[in-house]
Amino acid sequence: MLRALAVDDERPSLEELLYLLNADPRIGTAEGASDATEALRRINRALESGPHGPEAIDVVFLDINMPGLDGLDLARLLTGFAQPPLVVFVTAHEDFAVQAFDLKAVDYVLKPVRKERLAEAIRRAAELRDSAPQHIPVHEPDPDHIPVELGGVTRFVAVEDITHVEAQGDYARLHTDKGSHLVRIPLSTLEERWRSRGFVRIHRRHLVALRHIGELRLDAGTVSVVVGSEELQVSRRHTRELRDLLMRRP
């Protein structure tokens, strides 16, 4: 039995979708969310509950055109999760199908939703859920590495390769010379964890590794640092601490 979450900002469409989902015998439970932000909070609770927990979600039936965070944005965020739910897009727009399948969507159902077409999407989701290998939680093996999800494979990024970290809500984007990775860890947690490893907060949105700072710039009272190919602004409250740390850097 699949545990489903339907996401649509239009109330009549959401109620119709929930009605059709609940009528399918392969759906055990179906909840609704009126926007992507609400859905993301619900999915976070599901992941914290675990794959067999009382709040787990197997599949998200997701509208695309929503105010604020849209369906494609939410799907992109889910690709950064270690064990995300499956995604079925349910939309009135035909022209996002390529992007949807690039994001590993199970199916792309057009509105108005036909019962038979939705049943096919549910069948695909059920088959994928049942054929998925048993998930074994991967824990950070040592303080020198952090696990990240890349295309369904967990890899380990060396902390010393991380140049800076950018806050994105309850998530953090880790930047290295080879690319970036989104992890479900608040910036404040990484700041505390990596303080002893030479990371310092320079802004409410940025944490940088002192060893990767190439330049400190002052322009008309604004302070910034150059980290790799990026220039990041330093807030006034963090300027003095950063200068002191750079002066003491060997």
Side-chain angles (χ1 to χ4, degrees):
M1 301 287 278
L2 290 171
R3 297 156 295 187
L5 176 67
V7 188
D8 199 313
D9 65 309
E10 297 181 355
R11 193 69 194 175
S13 296
L14 180 59
E15 290 177 352
E16 175 68 12
L17 181 55
L18 287 171
Y19 173 79
L20 293 173
L21 289 172
N22 283 310
D24 192 293
R26 290 162 296 192
I27 299 293
T29 60
E31 299 179 49
S34 59
D35 58 51
T37 301
E38 179 186 349
L40 188 56
R41 287 195 293 265
R42 179 61 186 86
I43 293 167
N44 274 326
R45 294 203 308 271
L47 293 174
E48 290 169 358
S49 177
H52 304 295
E55 297 197 76
I57 294 172
D58 298 308
V59 56
V60 179
F61 292 84
L62 183 59
D63 188 22
I64 288 181
N65 189 18
M66 294 183 288
L69 194 70
D70 66 23
L72 292 172
D73 292 332
L74 176 57
R76 289 188 189 97
L77 282 173
L78 294 182
T79 62
F81 286 47
Q83 194 182 20
L86 301 170
V87 172
V88 173
F89 284 101
V90 182
T91 177
H93 303 278
E94 298 182 4
D95 48 348
F96 294 109
V98 173
Q99 295 179 60
F101 288 115
D102 283 345
L103 292 168
K104 312 302 182 186
V106 173
D107 209 340
Y108 194 89
V109 179
L110 289 175
K111 297 178 181 179
V113 179
R114 293 184 294 109
K115 180 180 179 180
E116 297 78 11
R117 182 65 185 86
L118 184 63
E120 173 63 16
I122 294 171
R123 182 192 66 78
R124 293 181 183 182
E127 288 183 355
L128 281 173
R129 195 279 306 268
D130 293 341
S131 64
Q134 181 66 31
H135 176 66
I136 300 175
V138 179
H139 300 285
E140 192 171 333
D142 59 62
D144 295 329
H145 296 82
I146 182 169
V148 300
E149 191 79 9
L150 292 172
V153 177
T154 300
R155 301 184 187 277
F156 297 92
V157 174
V159 175
E160 67 178 14
D161 292 338
I162 297 171
T163 58
H164 61 288
V165 186
E166 180 184 2
Q168 294 188 348
D170 292 331
Y171 302 81
R173 183 166 294 279
L174 312 177
H175 292 266
T176 71
D177 290 337
K178 297 180 180 179
S180 67
H181 313 280
L182 192 67
V183 295
R184 193 162 60 95
I185 306 175
L187 189 67
S188 57
T189 299
L190 293 178
E191 178 185 12
E192 182 177 350
R193 183 185 300 179
W194 291 344
R195 183 178 292 115
S196 62
R197 302 184 65 88
F199 283 80
V200 59
R201 192 74 164 259
I202 64 166
H203 191 275
R204 62 182 178 83
R205 290 191 58 212
H206 290 113
L207 185 69
V208 300
L210 288 172
R211 60 184 170 276
H212 287 290
I213 294 178
E215 295 180 21
L216 179 68
R217 295 178 176 175
L218 179 63
D219 182 17
T222 300
V223 179
S224 61
V225 292
V226 176
V227 181
S229 60
E230 294 193 49
E231 183 175 353
L232 306 174
Q233 184 176 347
V234 182
S235 66
R236 291 185 178 182
R237 62 176 295 194
H238 294 105
T239 298
R240 176 172 293 182
E241 178 189 8
L242 177 63
R243 282 178 168 174
D244 291 343
L245 289 171
L246 288 175
M247 289 294 291
R248 296 199 301 267
R249 185 176 65 173

